[in-house]
């Protein structure tokens, strides 16, 4: 079980790394750390609300996470990167179908990781910037077991 939980958490962290192309949010010119913290808090709120019924009914939590993540993540860019050279050859209908399926798969994996690891808090531990258009944000996710997981967004 511990290996399964670690695998899900690695997928959770991979989604975090993929979240680098952050889109605009309602706050005027928020910094990357502000966006990540706000999204993390919204994700944890959704997990607290819908997590207890996840095993019997995963759809409400997945739908809520999609609602939280959609404004902050550029799923189209992720999909384009995953499709690589095939993106240009695909029709718009094929692209849209891939984006939709890719998005659903990522949210499903993300949801499973959060539930399996029993993440209770996510906090920023450090921020830095090597270039004006790039930021490095270090975060820490803490599980109910007391385990801590380092998350790095850059």
């Amino acid at each position: 079980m511990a290996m399964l939980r670690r695998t899900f958490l690695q997928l959770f962290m991979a989604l975090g790394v993929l979240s680098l192309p952050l889109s605009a949010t309602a706050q005027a010119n928020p910094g990357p750390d502000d966006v990540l913290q706000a999204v993390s808090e919204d994700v944890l709120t959704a997990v607290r609300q819908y997590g207890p019924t996840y095993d019997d009914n995963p759809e409400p939590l997945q739908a809520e996470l999609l609602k939280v993540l959609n404004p902050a993540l550029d799923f189209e860019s992720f999909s384009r990167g995953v499709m690589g050279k095939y993106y240009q050859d695909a029709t718009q209908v094929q692209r849209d179908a891939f984006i939709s399926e890719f998005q659903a798969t990522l949210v499903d994996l993300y949801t499973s990781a959060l539930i399996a690891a029993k993440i209770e808090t996510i906090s920023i531990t450090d921020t830095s910037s090597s270039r004006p258009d790039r930021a490095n944000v270090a975060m820490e996710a803490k599980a109910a077991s007391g385990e801590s997981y380092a998350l790095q967004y850059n």
Side-chain angles (χ1 to χ4, degrees):
M1 184 64 165
M3 179 60 112
L4 180 62
R5 186 172 51 219
R6 179 142 321 264
T7 300
F8 281 132
L9 191 60
Q10 288 170 340
L11 291 170
F12 164 74
M13 288 187 270
L15 182 59
V17 171
L18 289 175
S19 70
L20 302 178
L22 299 169
S23 63
T25 63
Q27 183 183 2
N29 298 324
D33 53 338
D34 298 322
V35 173
L36 287 170
Q37 189 64 52
V39 169
S40 296
E41 289 170 10
D42 290 347
V43 163
L44 290 176
T45 297
V47 169
R48 286 183 197 107
Q49 182 176 357
Y50 299 104
T53 61
Y54 177 76
D55 288 336
D56 295 326
N57 187 11
E59 289 83 14
L61 178 56
Q62 291 170 336
E64 187 65 22
L65 290 181
L66 207 64
K67 197 164 67 174
V68 169
L69 295 173
N70 254 336
L73 300 179
D74 187 353
F75 284 105
E76 184 174 351
S77 290
F78 300 155
S79 299
R80 191 172 34 246
V82 169
M83 289 181 76
K85 65 181 182 178
Y86 301 104
Y87 185 84
Q88 295 303 321
D89 296 335
T91 66
Q92 189 61 48
V93 170
Q94 290 171 321
R95 289 177 189 170
D96 291 344
F98 182 84
I99 291 167
S100 178
E101 188 61 33
F102 184 65
Q103 180 181 41
T105 300
L106 284 179
V107 169
D108 183 44
L109 292 172
Y110 185 59
T111 305
S112 297
L114 286 168
I115 296 297
K118 297 182 172 119
I119 299 298
E120 291 187 334
T121 63
I122 301 174
S123 58
I124 294 172
T125 57
D126 189 32
T127 60
S128 63
S129 179
S130 58
R131 300 182 346 209
D133 63 336
R134 298 291 279 176
N136 301 311
V137 180
M139 298 181 83
E140 179 181 51
K142 289 194 178 181
S145 66
E147 275 188 88
S148 292
Y149 302 94
L151 307 172
Q152 183 69 42
Y153 304 90
N154 43 9

